[in-house]
Each structure stands twice: as structure tokens, then as C-alpha cells.
Amino acid sequence: MITLTPKAQETIARFIEQAGMPVAGLRISISDGGCSGHKYAMQLETAPAADDQVLPFGDVSLLVDPTSYPLLDGCTVDFVESLEGSGFKFENPNAKAACNCGKSFAA
């Protein structure tokens, strides 16, 4: 199970509203790379892939491919705003180590 905080849901809904096109949801995926081995990726999608997990959260849906889902299972996604900047923050129990930027992790 993946959890989206209310602030993350609100931010994603705003991005979808401003997209200017039909959006099926926000894809969250994991790919190789980053300074710790795996990195998070996010992008708006017009349609889910046939094998995606579609996770509804109020007015928004997350789309997760079957390869990424095990690495995201149990993850909480938040949106934080601070003096240092704003962005999505991942709290991932599957991460054995993470880099200081919070954008990549080792599983």
C-alpha cells in the first residue's frame, strides 16, 4: 500500500488541473540511477498502462508499474514546503540507505 498525504493529494490535483489536457493520474516509478542506486520519477499520464496498479486517492490516482510497486509498497508520499525549497518527499521503508537530497535510495 502506498500512502499520499493530504498535502500531496492537493498538490497533485493542482498539477492535473493546470495540465491543460485530460490526465488519468500521476505515475510514480523507480528506475536505476541517482547517487544511491534507485531514483524516483513522477509524471502525469493520459492513460494507465494495461499492467499498472491504479491507486485512487480522492480526486487523484497514482499509476504504478509492476516493477516499481514492490519498491514503493509501504511508502508515504508527502509534499513539503520550506525555506530550503519545496517538493515531494518519500518516506520509504524499503530504502536501506538514501542520499542527502532524498531523490534516490538503495534497496
Side-chain angles (χ1 to χ4, degrees):
M1 173 183 226
I2 298 171
T3 302
L4 270 185
T5 67
K7 184 66 175 172
Q9 290 177 44
E10 174 186 309
T11 303
I12 294 166
R14 188 173 66 241
F15 290 155
I16 290 171
E17 183 178 307
Q18 295 171 354
M21 63 181 187
V23 173
L26 177 74
R27 176 171 305 286
I28 297 181
S29 60
I30 304 294
S31 62
D32 292 338
C35 48
S36 293
H38 297 292
K39 63 182 178 180
Y40 300 104
M42 302 173 82
Q43 68 182 39
L44 296 176
E45 296 281 354
T46 57
D51 58 354
D52 278 343
Q53 294 252 2
V54 179
L55 309 170
F57 292 93
D59 293 339
V60 302
S61 292
L62 290 184
L63 310 175
V64 184
D65 66 84
T67 303
S68 298
Y69 190 84
L71 293 170
L72 291 166
D73 192 25
C75 187
T76 297
V77 182
D78 193 9
F79 187 82
V80 296
E81 297 177 278
S82 71
L83 292 174
E84 299 164 348
S86 61
F88 288 96
K89 178 182 174 188
F90 293 83
E91 291 182 27
N92 191 341
N94 302 303
K96 306 266 188 279
C99 67
N100 288 336
C101 71
K103 304 287 185 215
S104 68
F105 68 98

